[in-house]
Amino acid sequence: MKKKLVICIPSLRVGGAAKIALNLSEQYLEEGMDVHIILTDGNSKDPDFSSLPAGLQLHKLPQRRIHHFIRPFINAYTLLKYFRKLQPDAILAVRHDATVVSALAWWLYGRKGRFVIREINPITKTLNRNAVMIALIRWAYRGASAVIANSTDVAEALKAKKWLAPAQVHTIDNPVLTKSFYQKAAAKLDDPWLASASSPLIVTIGRLDKMKDQATLIRAFAILRRQCPARLMLIGDGPEAANLQQLINDLNLEADVKLPGAMDNPYPILKQAELFVLSSRYEGFGNVLVEALSLGKKVISTACTGGPAYILNHGEYGRLFPVGDHEALAAAMSTALAETQEPAALIDRALHFSAARIAAAYAAVLFN
Protein backbone atom coordinates (compact mmCIF):
# COMPACT_ATOMS: atom_id res chain seq x y z
CA MET A 1 0.00 0.00 0.00
CA LYS A 2 1.38 3.40 -0.95
CA LYS A 3 2.35 5.87 1.76
CA LYS A 4 0.06 8.77 2.60
CA LEU A 5 1.49 12.16 3.56
CA VAL A 6 -0.43 15.17 4.85
CA ILE A 7 1.34 18.55 4.76
CA CYS A 8 -0.17 21.23 6.99
CA ILE A 9 0.72 24.83 6.13
CA PRO A 10 -1.17 28.10 6.76
CA SER A 11 -1.40 29.05 3.08
CA LEU A 12 0.29 28.71 -0.30
CA ARG A 13 1.06 32.39 -0.73
CA VAL A 14 4.26 32.98 -2.68
CA GLY A 15 7.27 32.24 -0.47
CA GLY A 16 9.91 29.70 0.38
CA ALA A 17 7.76 27.62 2.74
CA ALA A 18 4.98 27.17 0.20
CA LYS A 19 7.49 26.45 -2.57
CA ILE A 20 9.16 23.65 -0.60
CA ALA A 21 5.81 22.12 0.34
CA LEU A 22 4.87 22.04 -3.34
CA ASN A 23 8.28 20.75 -4.42
CA LEU A 24 8.09 17.86 -1.96
CA SER A 25 4.56 17.12 -3.10
CA GLU A 26 5.58 17.09 -6.76
CA GLN A 27 8.44 14.68 -6.13
CA TYR A 28 6.44 12.30 -3.92
CA LEU A 29 3.54 12.26 -6.38
CA GLU A 30 5.97 11.26 -9.12
CA GLU A 31 7.09 8.42 -6.86
CA GLY A 32 3.50 7.23 -6.43
CA MET A 33 2.79 8.57 -2.94
CA ASP A 34 -0.64 9.83 -1.86
CA VAL A 35 -0.11 13.50 -0.92
CA HIS A 36 -2.55 15.97 0.64
CA ILE A 37 -1.93 19.61 1.57
CA ILE A 38 -4.23 21.13 4.18
CA LEU A 39 -4.27 24.92 4.46
CA THR A 40 -4.86 25.69 8.12
CA ASP A 41 -5.54 29.43 7.75
CA GLY A 42 -9.03 29.68 6.33
CA ASN A 43 -8.75 33.48 6.28
CA SER A 44 -5.71 33.54 3.98
CA LYS A 45 -5.72 34.88 0.45
CA ASP A 46 -4.16 32.15 -1.63
CA PRO A 47 -2.82 32.25 -5.20
CA ASP A 48 -4.36 30.63 -8.24
CA PHE A 49 -4.29 26.87 -7.69
CA SER A 50 -4.39 25.96 -11.39
CA SER A 51 -0.64 25.19 -11.54
CA LEU A 52 -0.47 22.76 -8.61
CA PRO A 53 1.33 19.44 -9.17
CA ALA A 54 -0.87 16.89 -10.93
CA GLY A 55 -2.53 14.55 -8.44
CA LEU A 56 -2.07 16.79 -5.41
CA GLN A 57 -5.17 16.86 -3.21
CA LEU A 58 -5.70 20.27 -1.63
CA HIS A 59 -7.96 21.06 1.34
CA LYS A 60 -8.59 24.31 3.18
CA LEU A 61 -10.05 24.84 6.64
CA PRO A 62 -13.11 27.12 6.81
CA GLN A 63 -12.85 30.86 7.17
CA ARG A 64 -13.44 31.86 10.79
CA ARG A 65 -14.14 35.29 12.28
CA ILE A 66 -13.30 34.42 15.89
CA HIS A 67 -10.76 35.60 18.45
CA HIS A 68 -7.21 34.54 17.61
CA PHE A 69 -6.82 32.87 21.03
CA ILE A 70 -9.71 30.52 20.30
CA ARG A 71 -9.09 29.93 16.58
CA PRO A 72 -6.26 27.31 16.92
CA PHE A 73 -8.46 25.07 19.07
CA ILE A 74 -11.49 25.31 16.78
CA ASN A 75 -9.30 24.72 13.71
CA ALA A 76 -7.67 21.73 15.43
CA TYR A 77 -11.04 20.06 15.89
CA THR A 78 -11.83 20.58 12.18
CA LEU A 79 -8.39 19.27 11.21
CA LEU A 80 -8.96 16.21 13.38
CA LYS A 81 -11.84 15.27 11.07
CA TYR A 82 -9.43 15.32 8.11
CA PHE A 83 -6.92 13.14 9.98
CA ARG A 84 -9.64 10.61 10.80
CA LYS A 85 -10.77 10.53 7.18
CA LEU A 86 -7.34 10.46 5.52
CA GLN A 87 -5.48 8.32 8.12
CA PRO A 88 -2.04 9.61 7.13
CA ASP A 89 1.18 7.69 7.73
CA ALA A 90 2.93 11.00 8.40
CA ILE A 91 2.01 14.63 9.03
CA LEU A 92 4.46 17.39 8.11
CA ALA A 93 3.74 20.76 9.74
CA VAL A 94 5.20 23.94 8.22
CA ARG A 95 5.25 27.32 10.03
CA HIS A 96 4.30 27.93 13.66
CA ASP A 97 0.58 28.59 13.18
CA ALA A 98 0.07 25.33 11.27
CA THR A 99 2.35 23.49 13.69
CA VAL A 100 0.20 24.40 16.71
CA VAL A 101 -3.09 23.52 15.00
CA SER A 102 -1.82 20.22 13.59
CA ALA A 103 -0.12 19.23 16.88
CA LEU A 104 -3.42 19.73 18.73
CA ALA A 105 -5.29 17.72 16.09
CA TRP A 106 -2.67 14.96 16.13
CA TRP A 107 -2.94 14.73 19.92
CA LEU A 108 -6.74 14.43 19.64
CA TYR A 109 -6.20 11.82 16.91
CA GLY A 110 -4.34 9.65 19.41
CA ARG A 111 -0.86 10.52 18.08
CA LYS A 112 -1.19 7.98 15.27
CA GLY A 113 1.48 8.01 12.58
CA ARG A 114 4.47 10.35 12.63
CA PHE A 115 4.19 14.07 13.38
CA VAL A 116 7.17 15.98 11.98
CA ILE A 117 7.76 19.72 12.12
CA ARG A 118 9.70 21.54 9.42
CA GLU A 119 11.74 24.41 10.87
CA ILE A 120 12.49 27.03 8.23
CA ASN A 121 14.16 29.89 10.15
CA PRO A 122 16.23 30.21 13.33
CA ILE A 123 13.59 29.92 16.05
CA THR A 124 15.15 32.83 17.94
CA LYS A 125 14.04 35.07 15.05
CA THR A 126 10.43 33.83 14.84
CA LEU A 127 9.09 33.72 18.42
CA ASN A 128 7.69 37.25 18.32
CA ARG A 129 4.34 35.95 19.59
CA ASN A 130 2.21 36.34 22.70
CA ALA A 131 2.98 34.16 25.73
CA VAL A 132 0.11 31.75 25.09
CA MET A 133 1.19 31.10 21.50
CA ILE A 134 4.83 30.61 22.52
CA ALA A 135 3.70 28.08 25.14
CA LEU A 136 1.68 26.21 22.50
CA ILE A 137 4.63 26.22 20.08
CA ARG A 138 6.91 24.83 22.79
CA TRP A 139 4.35 22.13 23.65
CA ALA A 140 4.04 21.15 19.97
CA TYR A 141 7.79 20.78 19.54
CA ARG A 142 8.20 18.77 22.71
CA GLY A 143 5.60 16.26 21.54
CA ALA A 144 6.76 15.95 17.93
CA SER A 145 8.20 12.75 16.48
CA ALA A 146 11.00 14.77 14.88
CA VAL A 147 11.95 18.18 13.50
CA ILE A 148 13.57 18.77 10.12
CA ALA A 149 15.74 21.92 10.02
CA ASN A 150 16.85 23.26 6.66
CA SER A 151 20.31 24.42 7.76
CA THR A 152 22.84 23.90 10.52
CA ASP A 153 22.17 27.37 11.96
CA VAL A 154 18.44 26.61 12.15
CA ALA A 155 19.09 23.24 13.79
CA GLU A 156 21.51 24.62 16.37
CA ALA A 157 19.12 27.44 17.35
CA LEU A 158 16.41 24.85 18.00
CA LYS A 159 18.70 22.51 19.92
CA ALA A 160 19.68 25.41 22.16
CA LYS A 161 16.03 25.67 23.27
CA LYS A 162 16.22 22.07 24.61
CA TRP A 163 12.60 21.49 23.69
CA LEU A 164 13.36 18.00 22.37
CA ALA A 165 16.29 15.60 22.26
CA PRO A 166 19.11 16.59 19.86
CA ALA A 167 18.72 13.24 18.09
CA GLN A 168 15.19 14.26 17.08
CA VAL A 169 16.48 17.30 15.16
CA HIS A 170 17.53 16.42 11.60
CA THR A 171 19.30 18.84 9.24
CA ILE A 172 18.15 18.28 5.66
CA ASP A 173 18.61 20.67 2.73
CA ASN A 174 15.61 22.14 0.96
CA PRO A 175 14.32 20.24 -2.10
CA VAL A 176 14.64 23.10 -4.57
CA LEU A 177 15.03 21.79 -8.12
CA THR A 178 12.09 19.96 -9.67
CA LYS A 179 11.05 19.10 -13.21
CA SER A 180 8.50 21.91 -13.14
CA PHE A 181 11.20 24.45 -12.22
CA TYR A 182 13.10 23.74 -15.43
CA GLN A 183 9.86 23.85 -17.43
CA LYS A 184 9.04 27.29 -15.98
CA ALA A 185 12.55 28.58 -16.65
CA ALA A 186 12.21 27.57 -20.31
CA ALA A 187 9.09 29.71 -20.83
CA LYS A 188 9.25 32.57 -23.32
CA LEU A 189 9.86 36.04 -21.95
CA ASP A 190 8.11 39.16 -23.18
CA ASP A 191 9.11 42.19 -21.10
CA PRO A 192 9.46 45.53 -22.89
CA TRP A 193 11.54 47.03 -20.07
CA LEU A 194 14.12 44.25 -20.34
CA ALA A 195 14.18 44.53 -24.12
CA SER A 196 14.61 48.30 -24.09
CA ALA A 197 18.31 48.30 -23.10
CA SER A 198 21.38 46.09 -23.23
CA SER A 199 23.02 47.06 -19.93
CA PRO A 200 23.70 44.21 -17.46
CA LEU A 201 20.66 43.06 -15.49
CA ILE A 202 20.85 42.40 -11.74
CA VAL A 203 17.94 40.51 -10.21
CA THR A 204 16.72 39.71 -6.71
CA ILE A 205 13.63 37.64 -5.87
CA GLY A 206 11.86 37.64 -2.53
CA ARG A 207 9.27 39.18 -0.26
CA LEU A 208 9.75 42.93 0.09
CA ASP A 209 10.26 43.21 3.84
CA LYS A 210 12.87 44.26 6.37
CA MET A 211 14.23 40.71 6.72
CA LYS A 212 15.17 40.64 3.02
CA ASP A 213 16.71 44.15 3.32
CA GLN A 214 16.36 45.17 -0.32
CA ALA A 215 17.11 48.74 0.80
CA THR A 216 20.77 47.79 1.16
CA LEU A 217 20.75 46.43 -2.39
CA ILE A 218 19.18 49.62 -3.76
CA ARG A 219 21.77 51.79 -1.99
CA ALA A 220 24.55 49.59 -3.31
CA PHE A 221 23.10 49.78 -6.82
CA ALA A 222 23.14 53.58 -6.61
CA ILE A 223 26.91 53.45 -6.05
CA LEU A 224 27.37 50.89 -8.84
CA ARG A 225 25.27 52.91 -11.26
CA ARG A 226 27.66 55.87 -10.92
CA GLN A 227 30.46 53.56 -12.11
CA CYS A 228 28.84 51.68 -15.00
CA PRO A 229 25.53 51.10 -16.82
CA ALA A 230 23.29 48.51 -15.15
CA ARG A 231 19.68 47.74 -14.36
CA LEU A 232 18.09 46.24 -11.26
CA MET A 233 14.83 44.31 -10.93
CA LEU A 234 13.40 43.44 -7.51
CA ILE A 235 10.77 40.73 -8.00
CA GLY A 236 8.33 40.32 -5.12
CA ASP A 237 5.75 42.10 -3.04
CA GLY A 238 5.39 42.92 0.63
CA PRO A 239 5.05 45.58 3.31
CA GLU A 240 8.22 47.46 2.30
CA ALA A 241 7.19 47.99 -1.34
CA ALA A 242 6.21 51.65 -0.90
CA ASN A 243 9.30 52.47 1.16
CA LEU A 244 11.57 50.84 -1.40
CA GLN A 245 9.94 52.74 -4.25
CA GLN A 246 10.43 55.97 -2.31
CA LEU A 247 14.10 55.12 -1.81
CA ILE A 248 14.45 54.48 -5.54
CA ASN A 249 12.87 57.86 -6.24
CA ASP A 250 15.06 59.64 -3.68
CA LEU A 251 18.18 58.19 -5.31
CA ASN A 252 16.96 59.11 -8.83
CA LEU A 253 17.05 55.49 -9.98
CA GLU A 254 13.56 55.28 -11.51
CA ALA A 255 14.90 54.65 -15.04
CA ASP A 256 17.14 51.76 -14.00
CA VAL A 257 15.28 50.01 -11.16
CA LYS A 258 11.97 48.18 -11.51
CA LEU A 259 9.61 46.68 -8.92
CA PRO A 260 7.23 44.52 -10.97
CA GLY A 261 5.58 42.86 -7.95
CA ALA A 262 5.28 39.16 -7.21
CA MET A 263 5.34 36.72 -10.13
CA ASP A 264 4.19 33.12 -10.43
CA ASN A 265 7.11 32.49 -12.75
CA PRO A 266 10.11 34.82 -12.38
CA TYR A 267 12.59 32.31 -13.80
CA PRO A 268 12.66 33.45 -17.46
CA ILE A 269 13.74 36.86 -16.11
CA LEU A 270 16.33 35.23 -13.89
CA LYS A 271 17.70 33.48 -17.00
CA GLN A 272 18.29 36.90 -18.55
CA ALA A 273 20.20 38.22 -15.54
CA GLU A 274 23.92 38.79 -15.44
CA LEU A 275 23.93 38.64 -11.65
CA PHE A 276 21.66 37.53 -8.79
CA VAL A 277 21.87 39.22 -5.37
CA LEU A 278 20.42 38.17 -2.01
CA SER A 279 20.63 40.93 0.62
CA SER A 280 18.80 39.25 3.54
CA ARG A 281 19.54 39.97 7.19
CA TYR A 282 18.93 36.27 7.88
CA GLU A 283 17.63 33.27 5.98
CA GLY A 284 16.43 29.81 6.85
CA PHE A 285 17.98 28.42 3.68
CA GLY A 286 17.98 30.56 0.53
CA ASN A 287 16.11 28.66 -2.20
CA VAL A 288 16.58 31.43 -4.75
CA LEU A 289 20.37 31.07 -4.52
CA VAL A 290 20.07 27.45 -5.64
CA GLU A 291 17.70 28.43 -8.45
CA ALA A 292 20.12 31.09 -9.68
CA LEU A 293 23.07 28.69 -9.56
CA SER A 294 21.08 26.07 -11.46
CA LEU A 295 20.73 28.55 -14.33
CA GLY A 296 24.47 29.22 -14.27
CA LYS A 297 24.14 32.74 -12.85
CA LYS A 298 26.77 34.59 -10.87
CA VAL A 299 25.57 35.07 -7.29
CA ILE A 300 26.23 37.45 -4.41
CA SER A 301 24.72 37.00 -0.94
CA THR A 302 25.01 38.32 2.57
CA ALA A 303 27.01 36.11 4.93
CA CYS A 304 23.92 35.98 7.11
CA THR A 305 22.63 33.42 9.59
CA GLY A 306 21.08 30.45 7.82
CA GLY A 307 21.87 28.65 4.59
CA PRO A 308 23.48 31.10 2.12
CA ALA A 309 27.12 30.59 3.14
CA TYR A 310 26.57 26.82 3.10
CA ILE A 311 24.93 26.88 -0.33
CA LEU A 312 27.80 28.93 -1.73
CA ASN A 313 30.36 26.82 0.18
CA HIS A 314 31.63 29.92 1.99
CA GLY A 315 32.44 31.84 -1.17
CA GLU A 316 33.44 29.09 -3.60
CA TYR A 317 30.29 29.42 -5.72
CA GLY A 318 29.48 33.07 -5.14
CA ARG A 319 30.59 36.17 -3.29
CA LEU A 320 29.58 36.91 0.31
CA PHE A 321 29.36 40.34 1.94
CA PRO A 322 28.54 41.55 5.48
CA VAL A 323 24.86 42.06 6.35
CA GLY A 324 23.73 45.65 5.74
CA ASP A 325 27.00 46.82 4.17
CA HIS A 326 25.91 48.53 0.95
CA GLU A 327 29.42 49.73 0.11
CA ALA A 328 30.80 46.19 0.29
CA LEU A 329 27.91 44.98 -1.85
CA ALA A 330 28.53 47.70 -4.45
CA ALA A 331 32.18 46.63 -4.68
CA ALA A 332 31.20 42.95 -4.96
CA MET A 333 28.70 43.68 -7.75
CA SER A 334 31.27 45.74 -9.66
CA THR A 335 33.81 42.93 -9.46
CA ALA A 336 31.28 40.23 -10.34
CA LEU A 337 30.03 42.09 -13.41
CA ALA A 338 33.61 42.55 -14.67
CA GLU A 339 34.67 38.92 -14.28
CA THR A 340 33.74 35.76 -16.14
CA GLN A 341 32.71 32.61 -14.30
CA GLU A 342 32.30 29.08 -15.62
CA PRO A 343 28.61 28.19 -15.24
CA ALA A 344 29.16 24.42 -15.20
CA ALA A 345 30.53 24.45 -11.65
CA LEU A 346 27.60 26.54 -10.45
CA ILE A 347 25.09 24.21 -12.09
CA ASP A 348 26.79 21.15 -10.57
CA ARG A 349 26.56 22.72 -7.11
CA ALA A 350 22.85 23.41 -7.57
CA LEU A 351 22.14 19.77 -8.43
CA HIS A 352 23.09 18.89 -4.85
CA PHE A 353 19.67 20.34 -3.94
CA SER A 354 17.51 18.38 -6.37
CA ALA A 355 14.07 17.39 -5.10
CA ALA A 356 14.66 13.71 -5.93
CA ARG A 357 17.75 13.57 -3.71
CA ILE A 358 16.36 15.60 -0.81
CA ALA A 359 12.92 13.92 -0.79
CA ALA A 360 14.59 10.59 -0.03
CA ALA A 361 16.20 12.10 3.08
CA TYR A 362 12.85 13.55 4.15
CA ALA A 363 11.16 10.18 3.71
CA ALA A 364 13.66 8.55 6.07
CA VAL A 365 12.45 10.89 8.82
CA LEU A 366 8.77 11.05 7.89
CA PHE A 367 8.21 7.31 7.65
CA ASN A 368 10.86 5.94 10.02
Side-chain angles (χ1 to χ4, degrees):
M1 183 179 295
K2 61 183 179 181
K3 297 289 187 182
K4 183 178 292 185
L5 172 65
V6 167
I7 301 175
C8 296
I9 186 171
S11 78
L12 289 178
R13 290 191 297 267
V14 175
K19 183 181 296 183
I20 295 309
L22 292 173
N23 287 357
L24 269 179
S25 299
E26 179 180 334
Q27 182 60 38
Y28 285 145
L29 287 164
E30 288 184 11
E31 296 174 8
M33 195 179 295
D34 188 2
V35 183
H36 298 252
I37 288 182
I38 301 178
L39 306 181
T40 60
D41 183 1
N43 299 333
S44 66
K45 295 181 180 180
D46 292 288
D48 178 16
F49 293 134
S50 61
S51 60
L52 293 178
L56 176 63
Q57 299 182 67
L58 184 69
H59 317 271
K60 185 173 183 177
L61 299 190
Q63 186 178 36
R64 301 190 192 279
R65 300 299 183 186
I66 56 178
H67 196 279
H68 64 274
F69 279 130
I70 302 173
R71 191 180 302 141
F73 300 95
I74 302 300
N75 282 343
Y77 182 71
T78 305
L79 187 57
L80 169 63
K81 297 178 182 179
Y82 279 105
F83 289 174
R84 286 172 173 168
K85 178 181 178 181
L86 299 174
Q87 300 181 7
D89 297 292
I91 300 161
L92 179 64
V94 183
R95 290 197 172 278
H96 291 325
D97 290 339
T99 293
V100 168
V101 171
S102 52
L104 289 166
W106 183 60
W107 182 78
L108 293 170
Y109 184 53
R111 297 166 59 93
K112 299 172 187 174
R114 299 266 292 172
F115 176 65
V116 178
I117 299 170
R118 180 174 178 270
E119 188 59 69
I120 60 176
N121 282 306
I123 200 161
T124 51
K125 306 284 189 181
T126 59
L127 286 181
N128 53 338
R129 306 298 186 93
N130 60 67
V132 173
M133 190 62 176
I134 291 174
L136 287 170
I137 292 169
R138 181 172 60 245
W139 171 82
Y141 277 77
R142 284 178 169 171
S145 306
V147 174
I148 294 175
N150 60 2
S151 73
T152 300
D153 286 345
V154 171
E156 291 304 315
L158 182 58
K159 289 177 183 178
K161 286 287 184 183
K162 299 182 180 179
W163 286 354
L164 66 174
Q168 292 176 274
V169 181
H170 305 264
T171 303
I172 303 177
D173 298 332
N174 279 357
V176 180
L177 302 180
T178 62
K179 290 181 180 179
S180 63
F181 165 77
Y182 291 106
Q183 292 168 353
K184 289 178 179 179
K188 292 183 179 180
L189 177 63
D190 182 16
D191 188 307
W193 186 78
L194 292 177
S196 65
S198 59
S199 54
L201 174 66
I202 301 168
V203 168
T204 191
I205 302 171
R207 181 170 167 79
L208 305 182
D209 61 18
K210 292 185 181 299
M211 169 197 162
K212 298 294 185 181
D213 194 17
Q214 289 95 347
T216 289
L217 173 55
I218 293 170
R219 292 188 180 98
F221 181 79
I223 296 173
L224 176 71
R225 188 63 188 83
R226 292 196 291 267
Q227 302 170 1
C228 64
R231 291 172 297 162
L232 172 64
M233 183 178 283
L234 300 94
I235 301 173
D237 203 353
E240 286 296 301
N243 291 335
L244 294 174
Q245 185 61 61
Q246 185 60 55
L247 179 60
I248 292 167
N249 297 344
D250 292 345
L251 295 173
N252 299 313
L253 296 172
E254 299 94 327
D256 296 313
V257 181
K258 184 176 182 181
L259 276 69
M263 297 181 180
D264 290 333
N265 182 16
Y267 305 120
I269 294 176
L270 182 56
K271 281 185 69 176
Q272 297 295 317
E274 180 74 18
L275 178 65
F276 178 84
V277 177
L278 186 69
S279 53
S280 300
R281 295 178 181 178
Y282 66 90
E283 282 283 344
F285 191 70
N287 300 327
V288 287
L289 291 175
V290 175
E291 292 167 344
L293 291 175
S294 74
L295 299 176
K297 300 303 170 183
K298 291 180 282 189
V299 167
I300 298 173
S301 173
T302 49
C304 63
T305 299
Y310 163 67
I311 292 169
L312 301 179
N313 199 26
H314 305 281
E316 180 179 357
Y317 299 103
R319 295 180 179 276
L320 296 167
F321 72 97
V323 173
D325 190 336
H326 65 277
E327 293 181 349
L329 175 55
M333 290 193 295
S334 179
T335 301
L337 289 175
E339 69 183 6
T340 58
Q341 190 165 12
E342 176 54 51
L346 308 181
I347 294 169
D348 286 345
R349 175 57 175 170
L351 292 175
H352 180 80
F353 307 100
S354 71
R357 176 181 175 276
I358 305 302
Y362 262 75
V365 177
L366 289 168
F367 306 107
N368 183 13

